[in-house]
Amino acid sequence: MSTTTTQRTAALTGMPNAGYRTLWRWHFYAGLFVMPFLIVLAITGTLYCFQPQIEPLLYPHRLIVEPRATARLGEDTLLAKARAAMPRGAAAVTAVIAGAPDRSAEFVFRLPDGEKQSVYLNPYSGEVLGTLSAEHRFMQVDRMLHRKLLLGKPGELLMELAACWTLVMIGTGVALWWPREKTSLRAALTPSFALKGRALWRNIHAVMGIWLALGALAFVLTGLPWSGSWGKQFKALASAANLGAPPGSWGGLPLRSVLPGGRGERATVGDTSAAAQSAHGSPAEHSEHEAHASNADSMPGMVMDDLPLPLTPWAVGNTPVPSSVDAHAHASEALPLGRIVALTASLGVTDGYNIALPASPTGVYTVSYFPADPKQERTLYIDQYSGAVLKDIRYGDYGAVSKAVSYGTSLHMGRYFGVANQILCAAISLGLAGMAVTGCVMWWKRRPQRALGAPSRERAAPPMRGWKAALVLLGIVFPLMGATLVAVWLADRAFFGRTSRRDPDAQPS
C-alpha cells in the first residue's frame, strides 16, 4: 500500500493520524498570521536584551566618562547645569541616578512642544556632553517596535494578538510533531540531514520547534502581562483580588493635603500626582500650560504607570500616587534633589534607579528601583517638603501573581542571571525567527498557484472535543483572540474551503 493510501486510510478509520489535517490546518493559519510578527519580535527582543552593551557603543561620548579620583558633583549642582543647557520652558521630569564611576549623569526634560529629551553631563566637571531624544533614541524605538510596531494602540493590539496566536501555533505544532507509530522519541528530537528538499526543511522545522516550544511558551506568558489590552485588565484583576501590590501599605501620615501656604482646596491621595504634573510641566516653568496642568492635577485615578519613568515594576503600575502632605504646609520650597538621593541611600537604595521629580506644589518625589533581581525591587513616594516617606513598596508587599510576573519579566528581558540569560533569550528569539523562515520556505515549496495553499480538510474528521474545548477556553481567557478565532473559522468556511480540497495529498508543514 502506498504512503498516500495509508494516510487516506488513517484519516478515514480513526488511526493515530486521524485529526492530523485539522491540527495542521489551524497550525497553518496561526503560522500565516504570526510569522511576520514573530520575526519582528525576535529581532527587536534580541536587541533589547543587550541594551546594556549596545547603548554605550552607540552613544559613547554621552554615556561614558573617564573616571576620576575627585568627588562627583552634587545632584543639585548637576541638575542646575542641565537646566541651564536646556531651552527656555523645558521642565525637568526625571533624574537617572547611576553611581558607576564611568557613567555620565542624566536628566530627562520635557520640552515646550511635549517631546522628552535627555541631557548628559560629566559628573566630575559638570560639562554638558550632549542630548538625546528620549522617544527617538535607538533602544526606545526598538522597544516601541517590539511592543506596538510604532503604530500606537492598533500596533499594540496586533502584537497582543500575535502573542495569543503563538499559543495556538505552539499547541498544534507539538501535536503534529508527537511521535506516531514506530517513530522513537530520540529520532523525533534529532534532525535528519540525510533527507533532501522539502522533507529536510520539514524535519528541521519540526525538531527545532519542539526544542524551542518551552522557551516560546515562556516568552508569551511572561510578555502578555505587559500588553496594552489584556495586560492592563489582568493587572487590574490581580490588584482587585489582592494578588498584586496590596493596597494597605500606606504610612501613618495624613492622606489629604493642601498646597503650601493654603493655596488650594484639599486633595485626595491619587487626585494629584507627579504623573500629570510631569506630563505638562510645572506652572512656574510652563506658564503657557498652567491651565492645562491645573486641570490635570485635579484628575482622579493617577497611578504609577502615568509617571515619566522609563520602566517600573509591573506590580506597582496601578498604585495611586500620593500627594505631599500638609504637615509642612508653611514651607515655601521643596527639598533639594540631593537630600532625596541621600535619604534614598539611607533606606538601602544606592544606585541604578530613577526619580520622577515633583512639578507642582502637591507633587512627590517618586523613586523607582527596578533591578535585575525582583526581590530587590523598590518603589518610594517621598513628601517634597518634609522628606517623609509616604509609601514604601517592596517585593514582600506583592501578591502571588505580581511576584511571579516580576520573575517572569526579569527572565524575559534577559536580566535575571546576567549575560547567560541574555544569550539564552537571544537563542530562543532567533530560533523562533528561524522557525518563521523555515515555515515560509515549506509553504512556498508546496503552495498551489493562485491559491492560499491551506491544508485540506479531513473527509471524516474526528470530534476533537479536547482541542475545541481548549480553543474555547483560550478565547474566553483572551477575548480579543476569541473574536479572531471565530473570524478565522468563518473565513475558512466561506472562502478557503473549496480551494483547500484541491490539495488532498499535500505534506504537512
Side-chain angles (χ1 to χ4, degrees), residues 374-434:
K375 288 187 176 180
Q376 304 301 318
E377 290 178 4
R378 197 89 171 267
T379 304
L380 300 164
Y381 299 100
I382 301 173
D383 185 290
Q384 66 169 307
Y385 305 106
S386 68
V389 178
L390 303 178
K391 197 171 186 180
D392 181 355
I393 305 176
R394 310 187 187 203
Y395 177 84
D397 299 318
Y398 297 173
V401 169
S402 290
K403 288 180 177 179
V405 171
S406 294
Y407 270 98
T409 298
S410 190
L411 289 166
H412 184 104
M413 296 176 66
R415 292 155 37 103
Y416 186 56
F417 49 93
V419 175
N421 196 168
Q422 292 176 304
I423 293 173
L424 177 62
C425 286
I428 296 173
S429 294
L430 297 179
L432 291 173

Side-chain angles (χ1 to χ4, degrees), residues 218-434:
F219 267 163
V220 171
L221 296 181
T222 55
L224 277 171
W226 292 89
S227 61
S229 175
W230 185 86
K232 288 183 178 179
Q233 297 300 320
F234 179 62
K235 184 186 294 185
L237 178 63
S239 298
N242 290 330
L243 296 173
S249 50
W250 294 100
L253 295 174
L255 300 186
R256 292 177 177 271
S257 64
V258 296
L259 304 183
R263 291 175 292 164
E265 298 294 326
R266 300 177 72 84
T268 304
V269 169
D271 288 351
T272 307
S273 73
Q277 301 143 11
S278 297
H280 301 288
S282 69
E285 294 172 310
H286 274 315
S287 58
E288 67 270 27
H289 295 305
E290 184 172 0
H292 192 178
S294 298
N295 291 335
D297 286 347
S298 64
M299 290 175 62
M302 292 297 178
V303 295
M304 186 73 175
D305 278 344
D306 299 319
L307 292 172
L309 293 165
L311 285 173
T312 56
W314 184 86
V316 299
N318 283 343
T319 304
V321 178
S323 301
S324 290
V325 299
D326 60 357
H328 290 262
H330 61 278
S332 58
E333 294 184 1
L335 293 174
L337 177 62
R339 289 277 298 277
I340 304 303
V341 172
L343 172 61
T344 303
S346 72
L347 295 172
V349 181
T350 58
D351 187 21
Y353 63 92
N354 295 276
I355 303 178
L357 308 176
S360 82
T362 55
V364 295
Y365 284 103
T366 303
V367 176
S368 179
Y369 183 45
F370 191 40
D373 184 357
K375 288 187 176 180
Q376 304 301 318
E377 290 178 4
R378 197 89 171 267
T379 304
L380 300 164
Y381 299 100
I382 301 173
D383 185 290
Q384 66 169 307
Y385 305 106
S386 68
V389 178
L390 303 178
K391 197 171 186 180
D392 181 355
I393 305 176
R394 310 187 187 203
Y395 177 84
D397 299 318
Y398 297 173
V401 169
S402 290
K403 288 180 177 179
V405 171
S406 294
Y407 270 98
T409 298
S410 190
L411 289 166
H412 184 104
M413 296 176 66
R415 292 155 37 103
Y416 186 56
F417 49 93
V419 175
N421 196 168
Q422 292 176 304
I423 293 173
L424 177 62
C425 286
I428 296 173
S429 294
L430 297 179
L432 291 173

Side-chain angles (χ1 to χ4, degrees), residues 184-237:
S184 68
L185 183 62
R186 180 177 179 180
L189 291 172
T190 307
S192 178
F193 294 105
L195 299 171
K196 296 184 182 298
R198 185 172 172 277
L200 175 61
W201 284 101
R202 185 173 69 246
N203 180 259
I204 292 174
H205 182 85
V207 173
M208 185 189 303
I210 203 63
W211 281 105
L212 292 171
L214 187 61
L217 181 64
F219 267 163
V220 171
L221 296 181
T222 55
L224 277 171
W226 292 89
S227 61
S229 175
W230 185 86
K232 288 183 178 179
Q233 297 300 320
F234 179 62
K235 184 186 294 185
L237 178 63

